[in-house]
Amino acid sequence: MEALLRRWRLPALSARRRGCRARHGAPGRARRRLLLSQVFQPLNLQAGGEAGWDGRAGWDGRAGEPTCRSQKLMLQGGLIHPSSPGCYYYMPPTVRAMEKLVKAMDEEMQAVGGQKLNMPSLSSAELWCASGRWDQMGPELFRLVDRHGKGYCLGPTHEEAVTELVAAQSNLSYKQLPLRLYQVTRKFRDEPKPRFGLLRSREFYMKDMYTFDASEEAARQTYDLVCNAYHSLFERLGLPVVKVRAATGSIGGTVSHEFQLPADVGEDRLVVCPDGHFAANVETLNGEQTSCPTCGEKLTQTRGVEVGHTFYLGTKYSSVSNAVFCSRENKPQLAEMGCYGLGVTRILAASIEVLSTEDSIRWPSLIAPYQLCFVPPKRGSKEEEEGAALLERLYDDLTEALPHLADDSVLDDRTQLTIGKRLKDANKLGYPYVVIAGKRVCEDPPVFEVWNQNTGEVLFLTKEGVTELLSKVQVP
């Protein structure tokens, strides 16, 4: 037992005491095996029937609060921890998933000319009063006053702020347009009844882009371009998102679309043409519309979770802040604007909601916190010594051969548990691939058991076969 503990734990622990990471591979290149026991992910995988899970009560103890599959699974899997109503700690694996999702968003936004910036969370009340939204937003705004008596809000969105920023550029020329600015940041909304975990919270992460064009025609071209980028992102994630006609609401503008992920828990009611000609949020319809206006087919009804929203704003905000540019004719002209939001944390929760089973998380493979979970033999088994060494060597060789997966692997070192128990836990946590040193690991050549969690397929592969299989895995 002591030898096994030394083999799995001491290299990482001694490296940590030295303030460095265990060396592996080429000189100067650091590698460390990540052990599941060291991941700050407090598991409650037994939550459910026998552990007292009550589907009518929230995990923060308020009886009667609605819950949903994603909230339950994220709490059980140690992915989130409740702080206060509608606010959560995001645990390290969740942050990894968020960072991967943001990286994919960055790729799509930069492909359409987006430039990333960061704006203050505190927004002046004066700006919001000038746009008329200080009163329009009502109690949804988190409002505060500083020591000098100046009013602010915690931004739920940043139209006023970004327009003020652009308006401050007095020498802006038409040659610098289109301007496509975006950020990924925390947003705040004082929800009257936060519920469903990250699907409707009071503090959340959003990607919001704001565009400035020289004409209405150019602004509408930008609108189509960004909407296509959203479609590309959701295709990469493997999420069946539907673009639907939507109301402009408190954001304003003349054109608006929501990107909805169909889900039973969704709070939005949608009507969709079965042939894809028409889709709308029912709040935009006049009366009871039952057939597609294009083909006449009967519309189907569903519920959806809004994961993105786009708006063509025109000059609603640029006229208030006097956000102008110098036109080709050397005259000041108001910029035509659009705004485009993607809910980062909501996409995470919504994807778990629709892809998972009742007791097992399934991530979009692209953004799973870890792609691989290695399961060594049980302590005291006949495969223990040889199997552990072979799996350790496979872990190291894979990270060397497939460097893009070097930080995407975790080793379940809870060897006091059976392989079956650890495999069950890995299934619940949703690792796309699980590599097991089972009974056939002592064959010549050694054979590893590989579970593809998303397809349910089980393969028995040599080290070379495992490497070839995993070489196809993509990460952002």
Side-chain angles (χ1 to χ4, degrees):
M1 181 187 301
E2 291 178 358
L4 184 64
L5 289 174
R6 283 198 298 272
R7 181 158 55 246
W8 291 118
R9 295 180 185 274
L10 288 183
L13 291 175
S14 59
R16 188 167 58 191
R17 291 189 184 112
R18 294 194 306 269
C20 62
R21 303 178 77 181
R23 296 284 182 185
H24 175 73
R29 186 175 185 179
R31 284 286 179 263
R32 178 175 66 87
R33 298 186 197 97
L34 178 64
L35 306 182
L36 182 61
S37 65
Q38 296 176 352
V39 177
F40 188 47
Q41 184 179 8
L43 303 179
N44 189 25
L45 296 177
Q46 298 307 311
E50 72 278 7
W53 169 258
D54 181 355
R56 298 169 298 171
W59 274 71
D60 52 9
R62 293 190 302 279
E65 180 175 339
T67 187
C68 61
R69 176 186 300 169
S70 58
Q71 181 185 23
K72 180 180 74 170
L73 291 174
M74 295 185 83
L75 287 162
Q76 290 176 0
L79 297 172
I80 57 175
H81 182 83
S83 169
S84 59
C87 297
Y88 291 87
Y89 297 95
Y90 306 140
M91 307 306 274
T94 309
V95 172
R96 285 183 58 86
M98 286 173 55
E99 289 174 344
K100 290 181 177 184
L101 178 55
V102 169
K103 188 173 182 181
M105 290 179 178
D106 286 339
E107 291 168 357
E108 296 296 342
M109 293 301 96
Q110 291 165 17
V112 295
Q115 299 181 63
K116 197 171 188 178
L117 48 62
N118 207 334
M119 291 180 275
S121 292
L122 281 176
S123 192
S124 167
E126 295 175 1
L127 286 177
W128 283 71
C129 287
S131 69
R133 293 207 297 173
W134 184 260
D135 294 323
Q136 181 187 3
M137 291 288 285
E140 286 191 7
L141 279 184
F142 277 105
R143 305 163 196 255
L144 63 155
V145 177
D146 70 8
R147 67 181 66 192
H148 305 294
K150 186 174 175 60
Y152 293 88
C153 68
L154 291 174
T157 183
H158 277 72
E159 286 79 11
E160 287 84 356
V162 75
T163 311
E164 180 195 37
L165 173 65
V166 172
Q169 315 311 311
S170 57
N171 296 321
L172 189 65
S173 166
Y174 74 94
K175 295 180 181 179
Q176 296 170 265
L177 302 182
L179 193 57
R180 296 163 183 162
L181 306 174
Y182 80 100
Q183 64 176 351
V184 179
T185 188
R186 289 179 186 262
K187 303 288 189 181
F188 304 87
R189 183 181 295 124
D190 194 358
E191 291 282 354
K193 188 180 179 183
R195 54 199 180 276
F196 303 140
L198 300 189
L199 290 180
R200 183 161 293 281
S201 54
R202 305 173 87 191
E203 182 179 5
F204 51 94
Y205 278 87
M206 180 183 287
K207 188 287 303 177
D208 45 327
M209 173 180 269
Y210 305 91
T211 62
F212 299 80
D213 280 277
S215 67
E216 179 179 346
E217 180 184 6
R220 290 184 179 273
Q221 289 174 353
T222 291
Y223 189 92
D224 292 338
L225 192 67
V226 178
C227 285
N228 289 338
Y230 279 19
H231 282 300
S232 175
L233 173 69
F234 291 122
E235 286 175 6
R236 291 173 63 187
L237 295 174
L239 298 175
V241 169
V242 180
K243 177 185 174 186
V244 305
R245 193 175 71 188
T248 56
S250 62
I251 303 291
T254 57
V255 177
S256 174
H257 290 89
E258 293 167 346
F259 289 76
Q260 293 273 356
L261 185 58
D264 292 340
V265 75
E267 297 180 278
D268 292 306
R269 293 173 52 227
L270 316 174
V271 290
V272 180
C273 169
D275 294 328
H277 297 128
F278 177 83
N281 191 314
V282 296
E283 67 182 359
T284 67
L285 302 179
N286 295 321
E288 189 70 22
Q289 186 170 343
T290 59
S291 60
C292 174
T294 301
C295 67
E297 285 289 329
K298 184 178 180 180
L299 297 174
T300 59
Q301 293 196 18
T302 186
R303 288 190 171 274
V305 175
E306 179 192 334
V307 291
H309 207 151
T310 59
F311 301 83
Y312 167 61
L313 300 173
T315 59
K316 172 180 169 63
Y317 295 92
S318 58
S319 60
V320 172
S321 296
N322 197 34
V324 298
F325 65 94
C326 186
S327 70
R328 191 183 298 271
E329 293 76 26
N330 203 31
K331 295 181 179 180
Q333 184 174 326
L334 289 173
E336 295 276 340
M337 292 177 57
C339 71
Y340 310 85
L342 285 172
V344 178
T345 44
R346 187 177 285 189
I347 289 172
L348 286 187
S351 64
I352 290 174
E353 187 71 36
V354 301
L355 298 179
S356 302
T357 66
E358 285 300 324
D359 63 354
S360 298
I361 293 171
R362 289 295 175 268
W363 298 91
S365 293
L366 189 69
I367 60 171
Y370 299 100
Q371 291 289 332
L372 310 175
C373 179
F374 291 86
V375 179
K378 185 181 188 298
R379 185 185 306 163
S381 68
K382 64 180 182 181
E383 298 87 15
E384 174 188 355
E385 186 171 353
E386 184 177 358
L390 288 167
L391 192 71
E392 180 179 324
R393 192 176 309 149
L394 174 64
Y395 187 123
D396 294 343
D397 290 347
L398 275 174
T399 57
E400 187 70 24
L402 307 173
H404 67 292
L405 296 180
D407 296 320
D408 252 272
S409 303
V410 62
L411 190 147
D412 190 343
D413 59 325
R414 302 173 302 162
T415 54
Q416 76 278 10
L417 302 177
T418 65
I419 284 180
K421 166 59 179 168
R422 284 176 286 159
L423 178 59
K424 185 176 181 180
D425 287 353
N427 183 58
K428 288 183 176 182
L429 292 172
Y431 303 105
Y433 293 92
V434 182
V435 181
I436 302 167
K439 293 182 178 179
R440 296 183 60 182
V441 75
C442 296
E443 294 181 2
D444 186 17
V447 174
F448 299 91
E449 188 175 341
V450 182
W451 287 65
N452 182 333
Q453 301 281 53
N454 289 323
T455 65
E457 185 180 24
V458 183
L459 301 171
F460 293 89
L461 303 171
T462 62
K463 182 179 76 171
E464 292 74 19
V466 175
T467 304
E468 181 180 356
L469 173 70
L470 298 179
S471 67
K472 301 178 178 64
V473 175
Q474 295 182 347
V475 294

